[in-house]
Amino acid sequence: MRNLRILISGAGVAGLALAYWLRRHGFVPTVVERSSGWRAGGHKIDVRGAAVDVIERMGILSDVERASVTMVGASWVDGAGKRLVSMDAAFFEQRDSHSLEILRGDLTRILGTCLRDRGDRGDRAGGVESVFDDAITGISENADGVAVTFERSAPRSFDLVVGADGVHSGVRALTFGAEARFVHDLGGYHVATFTVPNRWKLDRWDLFYLLPGKTMNVSSVREDADARAVFLFSAPGLKYGRRDRDGQRKLVADVFAHVAWELPWLLELMKDARDFYLDDVSQVRMDRWSSGRAVLVGDAGYAPSLASGQGTSLALVGAYVLAGELKAAAGDHVVAFSRYEAKMRGFVAKNQRLGTDGVRVMVLPSRWKIWLMIWMLRLTPYMPWKGWLSRRIKFVVDRAANAIALEAYEEA
């Protein structure tokens, strides 16, 4: 085996899953994360198809199932809060044993716990070095591998570097160039999220309030003190500083000013929300995911956008395949990176198409289309084709989620 020392930038789903598999295959991964610890919080996310097989092979399927959430339904309200229509979640989601929903923070907690285990599960995944509150500032290849500099830590050398650091990947910027070349917005849509009190006493329920070019959603995965607010909106050409939280809050407040329902109260809460987050609804599209001894996995290389619901699944499968191909190639990164891309390309393409199609349904452009959608939702339970439509939605998503055959790398 060669190239054993591998630095992973990012302790999200992709980075933690990759660290697990690399360690299990005999490599020595180090994870560096800008945050001060495992990433907590976050919205509910899907794990579907091949990704469920990955977590089962990790030995954590039962943990994920116990922490998973089962949404009961959703209601669409008017400006006075009156419920216009309600739908059973099963109509849209069609869950089965290969389709799970879990809070992002719960999944990263389970993955982090899995890395800290030192044999309790009968595997070799323990003992992964993690460096928090730090980030990579420089990557330079040399005859011995890769020289890496950090914001806080002393320079170190590794054999390979992996960018698992999300849409705005620092590793990608250092090795491939400017973000604008690879991050493509899907029509000027943006998303803002933060935690709010659950004043509606929601229990596994979503509330939606729709206006032209704007969708407000509040949900809770259980009847507890907190809920999650999500603002999706269309604002082509909107510019803001990625680290300017105050400026971002002002932009969102301006977009949603003079809007009814619970918006005045929600915008007031947003001012002090510690977990406030704003970003574009975008995809990462690249002709290649590796450059020399650096490679990308998950959102850093192929984010499908939140509208696809498949970002987490792509991250889990990508981590499994990348680590497995490195093992199969005995650490030969040139061979492994090429095989990783060949196996993942079709899978990524099918799941990214879900994102480009989905965002247009999530934010409607006119009052007419909103009215039409509400009436269609009202009529659907009484239509003879409702079962076919529900199954069709599931078929399209499942086809993309299972569009890859996972190899059994440990048997190779």
Side-chain angles (χ1 to χ4, degrees), residues 129-148:
E129 179 188 6
S130 301
V131 181
F132 294 105
D133 198 25
D134 208 347
I136 297 171
T137 57
I139 298 173
S140 178
E141 287 196 33
N142 54 48
D144 299 321
V146 186
V148 182

Side-chain angles (χ1 to χ4, degrees), residues 48-100:
R48 291 181 179 271
V52 177
D53 293 330
V54 170
I55 62 174
E56 184 174 22
R57 295 181 189 191
M58 295 176 76
I60 59 172
L61 178 57
S62 60
D63 297 324
V64 174
E65 287 176 334
R66 281 193 295 271
S68 65
V69 299
T70 303
M71 299 302 288
V72 174
S75 298
W76 284 257
V77 302
D78 63 14
K82 178 183 176 182
R83 299 196 178 193
L84 303 173
V85 61
S86 296
M87 292 288 291
D88 191 314
F91 175 79
F92 298 102
E93 297 183 346
Q94 288 282 300
R95 298 288 174 183
D96 57 27
S97 61
H98 265 61
S99 176
L100 303 171

Side-chain angles (χ1 to χ4, degrees), residues 310-328:
Q310 283 296 96
T312 302
S313 293
L314 286 181
L316 287 166
V317 174
Y320 176 83
V321 174
L322 176 56
E325 291 302 329
L326 280 167
K327 174 186 182 294

